[in-house]
């Protein structure tokens, strides 16, 4: 039986887990750090998976957030292809593969999430894909042949980003979406309409207001998608882009509180004083919104890594960030900040750049969110307007001749 140990053990080697190790070292932590990850790769950038990596424009090596030498230098002991299956909180002991154990002083759960699969007839047929990892993209790319019919289930960011790459590569693309519009869960109708138009112009077809009932195939391979409205869509390959399921089972099995993620406070502390949790797998109080949320974004993973490291270094510094996110489709860069739910007014700011605009979302006269399309130069100021929930005159906000920074200065 093999036994290993470290003062701090991190489970999950990705955006959150990778970052927290370096943050600990920057804060002066001198004890041993082990980074256990189920994947075979050092922490890598997931955002390019549905963009440049899928398009074949960058290699897997280029996705690494830091090179192997950086972990060696920081003395962070990375254990690849290591799946943790159980936590014994009393003994401070993890079970890895059978006959292998790891003991910890403090534990950080950074287990992220996995792509949601659909438990429908035919879901196991070859040619049906999900997208979360390098391995997923490699499998999907192998099926990317010009002229093939790709059906994407779900018009969220990942579905749309894949559609953009696929249609550019000559695939025939149709997106099936349960909601009445694209990006319905995360964006206002104005942004949805804009992206739908961009995709339609590129040749992508949408089928809204219908779910998927199942998949049919021949010789074990998918041939069609059966929609709930009775339509049968011929398909050579399918991408199920139906959201993320947080990996909470390990925490749940250990008796930690779990809601819409592993329950933590604003310091990333779970109900066990020796266990913290960070990243996509957590549900936490967001002061900016005044409610508990679970966020799926790189900036959130980084902020929670910062917070957890501050706690373990003995100088706790609470979560203090405004949620933001980006998406690349065709030559449009979207940067979204804040959460628009509950807005009562939309102010459209016309483009300063070709095909660009900003949609500001206001509630009771205050800016609560902004979607910036091809407006990189103005994103910083838009972010500040949102962070400070600035009260603004909508006519000034809509005027591209007015510098957004001046609205910040003008606030009461
Ligand atoms: P994850 O990245 O999910 O990593 C968790 C890791 O933990 C995984 O490697 C997993 O294998 C490992 N793990 C889980 N359980 C165990 C266990 N029991 N034992 C050992 N290891 C375990 N965000 C943006 O901000 N902008 C974007 O444009 C954007 N685009 C995206 C595009 C795609 C295709 C995807 C998939 C995500 C995108 N995201 C984007 C979201 C972003 O990648 C996530 O928010 C981020 O990866 C979260 O990091 P994490 O470390 O919390 O979790």
């Amino acid at each position: 039986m093999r036994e290993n140990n470290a003062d701090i053990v991190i489970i999950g080697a990705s955006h959150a887990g990778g970052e927290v190790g370096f943050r600990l070292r920057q804060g002066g932590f001198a004890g041993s750090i082990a980074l256990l990850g189920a994947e075979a790769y050092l922490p890598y950038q997931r955002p390019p998976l549905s963009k440049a990596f899928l398009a074949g424009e960058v290699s897997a090596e280029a996705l690494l957030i830091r090179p192997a030498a950086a972990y060696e230098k920081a003395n962070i002991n990375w254990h690849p292809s290591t799946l943790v299956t159980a936590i014994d909180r009393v003994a401070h002991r993890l079970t890895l593969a059978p006959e292998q154990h790891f003991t910890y002083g403090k534990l950080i759960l950074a287990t992220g999430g996995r792509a949601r699969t659909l438990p429908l007839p035919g879901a196991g047929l070859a040619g049906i894909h999900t997208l979360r990892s390098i391995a997923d993209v490699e499998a999907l790319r192998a099926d990317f042949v010009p002229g093939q019919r790709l059906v994407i289930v779900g018009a969220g960011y990942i579905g749309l980003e894949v559609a953009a790459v696929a249609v550019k590569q000559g695939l025939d693309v149709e997106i099936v979406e349960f909601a009445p519009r694209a990006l319905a869960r995360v964006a206002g109708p104005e942004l949805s309409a804009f992206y739908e138009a961009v995709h339609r112009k590129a040749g992508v077809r949408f089928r809204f207001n219908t779910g998927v009932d199942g998949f049919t195939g021949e010789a074990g391979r998918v041939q069609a998608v059966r929609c709930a409205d009775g339509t049968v869509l011929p398909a050579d390959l399918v991408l199920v882009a139906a959201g993320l399921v947080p990996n909470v089972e390990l925490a749940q099995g250990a008796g930690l509180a779990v809601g819409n993620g592993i329950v933590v406070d604003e310091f990333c502390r779970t109900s066990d004083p020796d266990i913290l949790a960070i990243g996509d797998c957590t549900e936490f109080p967001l002061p900016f919104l005044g409610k508990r949320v679970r966020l799926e974004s790189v900036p959130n993973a980084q902020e929670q890594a910062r917070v957890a490291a501050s706690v373990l270094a003995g100088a706790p510094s609470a979560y203090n960030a405004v949620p933001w996110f980006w998406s690349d489709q065709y030559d449009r860069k979207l940067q979204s900040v804040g959460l628009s739910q509950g807005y009562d007014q939309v102010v459209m700011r016309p483009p300063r750049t070709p095909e660009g605009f900003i949609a500001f979302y206001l509630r009771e006269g205050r800016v609560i969110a902004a979607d910036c399309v091809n407006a990189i130069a103005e994103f910083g100021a838009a972010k500040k307007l949102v962070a400070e929930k600035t009260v603004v005159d909508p006519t000034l906000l809509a005027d591209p001749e007015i510098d957004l920074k001046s609205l910040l200065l003008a606030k009461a």
Side-chain angles (χ1 to χ4, degrees):
M1 179 175 306
R2 280 182 52 199
E3 188 91 35
N4 273 304
N5 64 78
D7 297 320
I8 294 180
V9 175
I10 305 160
I11 305 178
S14 181
H15 284 281
E19 182 69 16
V20 71
F22 288 91
R23 289 280 186 165
L24 282 161
R25 290 297 185 225
Q26 281 159 17
F29 179 76
S32 52
I33 301 176
L35 179 61
L36 315 184
E39 292 185 73
Y41 295 93
L42 277 167
Y44 60 86
Q45 309 275 1
R46 281 189 211 278
L49 292 182
S50 47
K51 309 171 182 95
F53 186 60
L54 178 62
E57 291 161 7
V58 294
S59 66
E61 291 67 39
L63 297 181
L64 294 186
I65 297 171
R66 294 178 177 87
Y71 296 82
E72 277 161 35
K73 193 168 168 218
N75 201 10
I76 296 170
N77 202 354
W78 171 53
H79 297 251
S81 308
T82 301
L83 181 72
V84 180
T85 54
I87 304 169
D88 179 339
R89 292 203 280 135
V90 178
H92 277 212
R93 193 165 185 252
L94 309 174
T95 303
L96 315 181
E99 304 299 314
Q100 280 198 44
H101 296 282
F102 217 107
T103 50
Y104 63 87
K106 301 277 183 189
L107 183 64
I108 303 175
L109 301 174
T111 50
R114 55 188 182 271
R116 188 183 304 282
T117 52
L118 301 176
L120 295 172
L125 288 165
I128 300 179
H129 299 267
T130 54
L131 203 173
R132 183 75 192 167
S133 64
I134 287 179
D136 293 340
V137 179
E138 283 169 346
L140 178 63
R141 228 173 19 199
D143 276 352
F144 257 44
V145 177
Q148 296 271 286
R149 293 160 304 184
L150 165 64
V151 174
I152 298 176
V153 183
Y157 284 119
I158 291 177
L160 293 185
E161 289 177 354
V162 170
V165 174
V167 82
K168 263 168 93 177
Q169 297 200 352
L171 280 86
D172 174 87
V173 184
E174 179 143 12
I175 304 181
V176 182
E177 167 60 55
F178 194 71
R181 59 185 174 90
L183 301 174
R185 196 175 61 86
V186 287
E190 291 76 12
L191 195 76
S192 301
F194 173 80
Y195 274 105
E196 286 166 22
V198 169
H199 279 278
R200 284 202 168 102
K201 197 171 161 205
V204 175
R205 297 186 302 283
F206 288 95
R207 185 169 291 273
F208 292 118
N209 297 306
T210 183
V212 167
D213 266 1
F215 308 93
T216 52
E218 209 178 278
R221 187 165 176 97
V222 70
Q223 281 199 323
V225 176
R226 256 195 354 254
C227 298
D229 65 5
T231 318
V232 175
L233 301 174
D236 300 302
L237 68 154
V238 173
L239 174 72
V240 175
L244 172 126
V245 179
N247 289 326
V248 296
E249 292 78 3
L250 198 57
Q252 217 157 21
L256 295 171
V258 168
N260 177 28
I262 303 168
V263 171
V264 295
D265 65 9
E266 65 274 35
F267 293 101
C268 300
R269 296 178 298 210
T270 67
S271 44
D272 182 322
D274 292 325
I275 305 182
L276 292 92
I278 56 177
D280 279 18
C281 64
T282 65
E283 184 214 285
F284 65 99
L286 184 64
F288 175 76
L289 286 183
K291 64 176 186 182
R292 298 185 66 81
V293 293
R294 191 176 62 70
L295 297 178
E296 297 165 15
S297 78
V298 170
N300 174 64
Q302 290 170 335
E303 171 66 1
Q304 287 195 307
R306 180 195 70 75
V307 172
S310 78
V311 170
L312 293 173
S317 158
Y319 192 102
N320 180 26
V322 183
W324 75 276
F325 186 88
W326 75 93
S327 172
D328 295 314
Q329 294 162 51
Y330 310 101
D331 53 355
R332 271 64 162 201
K333 178 158 208 84
L334 167 71
Q335 294 162 295
S336 287
V337 56
L339 295 182
S340 58
Q341 284 120 330
Y343 69 90
D344 53 31
Q345 187 179 6
V346 181
V347 177
M348 300 298 285
R349 185 175 167 90
R352 281 192 157 187
T353 54
E355 311 261 20
F357 67 88
I358 304 179
F360 283 104
Y361 303 86
L362 277 62
R363 187 167 58 223
E364 293 166 8
R366 290 180 182 276
V367 183
I368 58 164
D371 290 325
C372 304
V373 177
N374 284 2
I376 295 171
E378 293 192 286
F379 180 66
K383 200 172 169 193
K384 282 209 182 86
L385 286 168
V386 173
E388 299 183 11
K389 296 189 183 145
T390 314
V391 177
V392 287
D393 176 344
T395 51
L396 297 181
L397 201 55
D399 183 348
E401 297 307 319
I402 303 282
D403 188 345
L404 288 180
K405 289 193 206 102
S406 69
L407 300 179
L408 274 166
L409 297 174
K411 79 188 162 69

